[in-house]
Amino acid sequence: MAENFDVIVIGSGPGGYVCAIRAAQLGLKVACVEKRATLGGTCLNIGCIPSKALLQSSENFHQASHTLKDHGVDVGEIKLDLARMQARKGEVVTANTKGVEFLFKKNKVTWLKGAAKFTSPTEIDVAGTAYTAKHFVIATGSESVPLKNVEVDEKRIVTSTGALELDQVPGHLVVIGGGVIGLELGSVWHRLGAEVTVIEFLDRITPGLDNEVSKAFQGILAKQGFKFMLGHKVTGALVTEGGIELAVEPAKGGEAQTIKADIVLLAIGRYAFTEGLGLDAAGVAVDNRGRVITDHHFATNVPGIYAIGDVIAGPMLAHKAEDEGVALAEIFAGQAGHVNYDAIPSVVYTWPEVAAVGKSEEELKAAGVAYKVGKFPFMANGRARAMGDTDGFVKILADKTTDRLLGAHIIGPDAGTLIAELTTAIEFGASAEDVARICHAHPTLSEVVKEAALAADGRALHI
Ligand SMILES: Cc1cc2nc3c(=O)[nH]c(=O)nc-3n(C[C@H](O)[C@H](O)[C@H](O)COP(=O)(O)OP(=O)(O)OC[C@H]3O[C@@H](n4cnc5c(N)ncnc54)[C@H](O)[C@@H]3O)c2cc1C
């Protein structure tokens, strides 16, 4: 007889492990299957957490090398101990993955070690043992998209996984893809001394971000020393003793050129991962991009099988996966689990940071919504000046008639933290005036949010 659970979650990333914990909190008998040696999925092992550890360390190095002097702090000769930086990153990852293991024990979630494979719509196999459940949750996440003629070896041509493990600072790092992951990891190695060139197929970086913010972002990165080849595509990579020769062409056609690199980071996106899962045996339908198709309650076309996180449609973000995990567990327990997709923030953890929630100006235009814009620069904020971090601005988009907040975009210091206030405001259906009337502590960066909200009504005070 197969062992039976109320809920079996497949995959222990932020979608899966959070769903498992919440379901267990609600009194259900839960197992979570994970084939990796540690829990936490892409996010904790090879994604959000290690990248943020290296972003923090490299920013500290950059500050010590460049900006501390301006503050009157002379630290003498600065030396990079990359081995220690990498070891610290490993310690941060272990603390987090062990933390999930602890939470599983605390909440009595059983970790089934191995790869899950559906053998029928009602049963999975894990390491030769059969399991059944009232509810199966597919939370198998995503993998890096490959590129024809650019073969990844994770040593010299790397995905984000290899880019987190380099044991030397590359002389020239070429990043293929001007999205969030490429720019974050490009920033890490640029701060540590690499020359960085970003080759992007589109004529802009960070597609999906508000265009004005995206342009400002590119300008700031260029000022830092990033080189950009927009509107170009890589058609091949030749690995030689002396480096990697990339064949690059204009995206619209034209003369090819060769770009030499020491390390190539392939970061052109991620795809939903379901390999080896036996979706055919279960009869679960996927869309034309391989994503598991779900309804508004995360149900697939097969009764009893659900899916959440990167493996379904929507932004590939850890907190989106987590919120879906919580909502689904609550639905299993008979509650009204729900995710508000209009209020999911996204953050680029470069310096300055970039953060957004709700609609961009382009989206509002395309939808024919009449809107007004409130903008305020960090340059006019006392705290930003005191910090020496004055690049960027807050931009608020509000409905022209009702003043309701529709979108917020920030490029600047701690944008990722500042966006939380505007996410709360959007979640609560606030107007720009509501935000403008809230008392914000002085001197803080959050005053830029208040001033941008005032600016939406043409009455910013400090500019
Ligand atoms: C470099 C990088 C940086 C990132 N930074 C951020 C960030 O700062 N903020 C953010 O919000 N997002 C970030 N992301 C994205 C984030 O990691 C993902 O959105 C998130 O991990 C998705 O969670 P998930 O639970 O859907 O899947 P995943 O975290 O991908 O977890 C899926 C798990 O399922 C397991 N699995 C797959 N198939 C099976 C099977 N058949 N049996 C058993 N186990 C299986 C896998 O081993 C994996 O552990 C980053 C991603 C990368 C690559």
Side-chain angles (χ1 to χ4, degrees):
M1 270 283 280
E3 190 178 350
N4 183 55
F5 289 87
D6 294 323
V7 180
I8 295 183
V9 184
I10 304 171
S12 72
Y17 87 72
V18 168
C19 181
I21 290 172
R22 184 72 187 121
Q25 280 180 346
L26 291 164
L28 300 171
K29 183 185 173 196
V30 184
C32 181
V33 194
E34 176 53 60
K35 61 180 180 155
R36 199 187 290 272
T38 49
L39 297 171
T42 303
C43 176
L44 271 57
N45 289 281
I46 52 166
C48 323
I49 297 302
S51 61
K52 266 78 254 178
L54 287 185
L55 277 157
Q56 185 62 52
S57 298
S58 60
E59 181 59 20
N60 291 349
F61 178 77
H62 175 82
Q63 289 203 359
S65 314
H66 298 284
T67 42
L68 286 187
K69 272 190 218 85
D70 291 346
H71 291 264
V73 183
D74 191 345
V75 285
E77 195 199 345
I78 304 293
K79 278 205 307 218
L80 173 65
D81 183 349
L82 184 55
R84 176 66 205 126
M85 197 179 277
Q86 290 286 23
R88 177 187 176 277
K89 177 207 70 187
E91 288 156 18
V92 172
V93 167
T94 303
N96 280 276
T97 58
K98 286 276 172 213
V100 176
E101 214 173 312
F102 163 79
L103 291 173
F104 272 13
K105 283 194 188 118
K106 180 181 163 201
N107 289 285
K108 301 191 175 48
V109 173
T110 305
W111 175 5
L112 302 176
K113 296 184 182 181
K117 188 179 166 78
F118 283 100
T119 48
S120 78
T122 55
E123 194 170 288
I124 59 167
D125 171 276
V126 181
T129 305
Y131 298 91
T132 54
K134 197 167 162 203
H135 309 292
F136 286 104
V137 181
I138 300 171
T140 48
S142 61
E143 286 283 345
S144 299
V145 171
L147 180 63
K148 203 173 143 201
N149 299 331
V150 179
E151 206 165 309
V152 169
D153 59 11
E154 294 296 10
K155 294 275 175 245
R156 297 171 72 190
I157 302 184
V158 296
T159 64
S160 53
T161 305
L164 290 165
E165 295 295 331
L166 300 181
D167 56 10
Q168 268 183 15
V169 179
H172 185 203
L173 171 70
V174 172
V175 181
I176 308 178
V180 176
I181 291 177
L183 296 176
E184 285 188 359
L185 292 172
S187 282
V188 165
W189 295 107
H190 183 256
R191 291 166 186 169
L192 298 180
E195 188 191 331
V196 175
T197 304
V198 178
I199 304 177
E200 166 60 51
F201 184 86
L202 301 174
D203 58 6
R204 58 168 295 178
I205 60 165
T206 49
L209 276 188
D210 185 272
N211 206 13
E212 185 183 9
V213 173
S214 191
K215 278 213 175 90
F217 186 29
Q218 190 190 331
I220 290 170
L221 290 176
K223 206 167 73 181
Q224 290 175 6
F226 270 63
K227 294 201 175 66
F228 290 97
M229 288 181 73
L230 303 185
H232 279 78
K233 62 180 177 190
V234 174
T235 56
L238 183 67
V239 181
T240 68
E241 287 241 321
I244 303 145
E245 293 176 4
L246 287 176
V248 182
E249 285 174 19
K252 292 182 182 131
E255 209 171 309
Q257 57 178 306
T258 303
I259 306 281
K260 278 193 107 179
D262 299 299
I263 299 285
V264 171
L265 164 57
L266 181 62
I268 57 170
R270 297 182 63 81
Y271 69 93
F273 180 78
T274 57
E275 277 150 46
L277 187 57
L279 287 187
D280 288 352
V284 172
V286 297
D287 68 13
N288 58 358
R289 291 167 63 182
R291 300 175 299 191
V292 175
I293 299 171
T294 53
D295 67 11
H296 291 309
H297 295 104
F298 313 104
T300 69
N301 59 315
V302 179
I305 303 184
Y306 301 77
I308 55 170
D310 279 11
V311 80
I312 68 170
M316 288 184 165
L317 293 169
H319 42 282
K320 176 258 193 192
E322 284 187 41
D323 282 8
E324 289 177 343
V326 169
L328 182 55
E330 291 178 353
I331 289 169
F332 291 155
Q335 300 181 2
H338 173 70
V339 176
N340 177 5
Y341 290 97
D342 287 331
I344 295 184
S346 61
V347 181
V348 192
Y349 296 86
T350 46
W351 198 262
E353 291 181 344
V354 184
V357 63
K359 305 286 184 225
S360 67
E361 237 185 299
E362 294 70 45
E363 284 172 326
L364 292 177
K365 273 189 193 132
V369 176
Y371 63 92
K372 52 187 178 172
V373 182
K375 239 168 66 179
F376 196 85
F378 283 95
M379 184 62 94
N381 173 261
R383 184 63 182 278
R385 282 204 208 109
M387 290 165 68
D389 264 316
T390 50
D391 277 341
F393 54 86
V394 174
K395 172 175 173 178
I396 279 177
L397 302 170
D399 189 287
K400 194 158 195 164
T401 322
T402 65
D403 196 38
R404 187 187 175 122
L405 274 180
L406 301 173
H409 306 270
I410 307 178
I411 176 163
D414 272 338
T417 305
L418 294 174
I419 203 71
E421 174 184 3
L422 292 160
T423 307
T424 309
I426 287 183
E427 183 72 50
F428 281 35
S431 63
E433 187 183 349
D434 288 331
V435 176
R437 286 191 181 277
I438 292 168
C439 186
H440 289 70
H442 176 75
T444 60
L445 297 171
S446 72
E447 288 170 291
V448 183
V449 172
K450 179 186 176 102
E451 290 277 4
L454 282 167
D457 192 35
R459 54 193 182 98
L461 289 163
H462 290 88
I463 201 158

